[in-house]
Amino acid sequence: MFTPRELEVAASAVVRLFRKWDLPDGIACQILGNLASETYSAWQRSEFGQIDQDVGIRLSLLIGIHKCLRTLFKDPERGYAWIRIANSAFNHLPPLEVMAKGDIASLAYVRARLETMMTDVSSW
């Protein structure tokens, strides 16, 4: 599905995204499917070992979430803040709380809701 190089590039991008989101390492690891903290620390130093396809799917979903937010919000800071704001689309939870459940379905749900929001905005 993904080449090792693609996974490294995606992991590096997600580490930068998580910095923009100002996530504690523990939450970052949860979102990445309970990734070992040692592994995440290595990623922060741009040291990538073998990244499995499950994590690759999560990385892809996170990059998609970021892309949607950048499309929806002209000001990037508003997009970064959006993940912490309770939202009726997520049962009045912040999207970050949904993503932190740690399962792929939760990430996919946030991405799908954002895709729907983008479609709704483009139809205005």
Side-chain angles (χ1 to χ4, degrees):
M1 184 177 221
F2 301 105
T3 68
R5 180 68 184 139
E6 289 169 333
L7 290 169
E8 286 181 10
V9 169
S12 179
V14 166
V15 166
R16 288 191 310 276
L17 174 63
F18 284 176
R19 284 186 189 130
K20 295 284 188 180
W21 285 355
D22 196 28
L23 294 188
D25 290 356
I27 299 294
C29 290
Q30 280 178 255
I31 292 171
L32 292 167
N34 294 310
L35 188 71
S37 60
E38 297 82 13
T39 300
Y40 188 67
S41 292
W43 287 13
Q44 292 173 314
R45 297 186 305 272
S46 297
E47 297 171 7
F48 305 99
Q50 185 175 3
I51 301 172
D52 67 41
Q53 295 297 314
D54 175 81
V55 175
I57 292 167
R58 294 166 192 278
L59 295 171
S60 177
L61 288 165
L62 287 159
I63 290 168
I65 288 166
H66 176 61
K67 178 185 170 201
C68 290
L69 290 171
R70 290 300 303 261
T71 300
L72 287 166
F73 298 102
K74 292 184 192 269
D75 175 12
E77 295 305 317
R78 287 188 62 211
Y80 301 142
W82 179 86
I83 66 161
R84 297 182 187 285
I85 299 169
N87 190 307
S88 61
F90 304 104
N91 207 20
H92 302 285
L93 296 172
L96 177 58
E97 196 169 321
V98 175
M99 292 186 287
K101 291 179 182 178
D103 58 277
I104 289 175
S106 295
L107 286 173
Y109 181 70
V110 171
R111 168 107 188 250
R113 294 297 299 160
L114 282 165
E115 293 281 348
T116 300
M117 289 176 199
M118 286 176 42
T119 302
D120 290 347
V121 168
S122 66
S123 66
W124 291 351

